[in-house]
Structure formats: C-alpha cells, structure tokens
Amino acid sequence: MTIRKKQNKLDQRTKIIMIIVLIFVVILAFSYINLRQKSKKIAKEQQQVESQIKKQEEKKKELKKKKEYIKTREFIEKTATEKFGLLYPGEYLLKGSDD
C-alpha cells in the first residue's frame, strides 16, 4: 500500500468516527433538553402539591378549632336555644313581629 492509500483510509476512519461522535453529541443534547423539560414540569407539580398540602393543613387546623368549639358549653347552649328553643328556667324568648 502506498502512503496515499493509507492516508485515505485514515481520513475515512476519521470521518466515520467524527460522524459517530457528532451523532452521539446530538443525541445527548436532545436527551438533556428532554430531561430539563421534565425536570421543570416535575418542579411545577411539586410546587402545586406543596400548595395543596399547605391548604389542607390550614383546613385541618380550622376543623380542629371547630371540633374544640363544639365541645364547649357556649356552643351547646346556643344550639339548644336556636334549634330546639330550649331555655333555662326563668328565661323568656322574645320574638319580633314580621311587620
């Protein structure tokens, strides 16, 4: 083989290797872009879930307060008076006219 043929073979091998490397780099770039988009989407979903958790924790606190209020004498008396018309002895219920 002559030097020219060896040089051509080396050039062909180099071109093939460069093309393979280029294809690999392009594939990596697309994969990176895809993963970055997925990461942003997951971060947004995580933020939404954290917001929902915070709202539910606030709702839980409110329900806990309401549960405690329901156990109080004040609530029991108010409910008994409003819903059932119950009064203590000596109390009178005054109703206004509808006019």
Side-chain angles (χ1 to χ4, degrees):
M1 280 188 154
T2 64
I3 295 175
R4 186 81 126 166
K5 287 183 181 179
K6 285 183 180 179
Q7 187 67 28
N8 279 344
K9 269 191 169 181
L10 281 175
D11 286 344
Q12 284 180 336
R13 285 182 186 166
T14 305
K15 287 179 183 177
I16 291 172
I17 291 172
M18 291 299 284
I19 290 171
I20 291 172
V21 168
L22 182 65
I23 291 171
F24 184 70
V25 168
V26 169
I27 290 171
L28 282 176
F30 279 113
S31 296
Y32 175 77
I33 291 169
N34 190 22
L35 287 175
R36 190 146 165 105
Q37 288 174 343
K38 285 182 182 179
S39 176
K40 286 181 180 179
K41 182 179 177 184
I42 289 172
K44 186 177 180 181
E45 288 175 1
Q46 181 181 3
Q47 197 174 33
Q48 290 173 343
V49 168
E50 287 173 355
S51 174
Q52 289 175 347
I53 289 171
K54 189 175 181 179
K55 286 179 185 177
Q56 292 301 319
E57 286 174 349
E58 289 173 8
K59 187 174 181 181
K60 181 181 174 182
K61 286 179 185 178
E62 289 175 17
L63 289 172
K64 197 171 187 178
K65 285 180 184 178
K66 187 173 183 178
K67 180 181 174 184
E68 292 300 316
Y69 174 68
I70 288 173
K71 293 178 183 179
T72 64
R73 182 178 180 105
E74 177 187 353
F75 173 78
I76 294 169
E77 289 176 353
K78 183 179 178 184
T79 304
T81 303
E82 289 176 359
K83 291 189 178 184
F84 305 112
L86 298 177
L87 300 171
Y88 284 110
E91 285 186 325
Y92 299 99
L93 184 62
L94 300 176
K95 291 186 179 182
S97 63
D98 292 339
D99 293 339

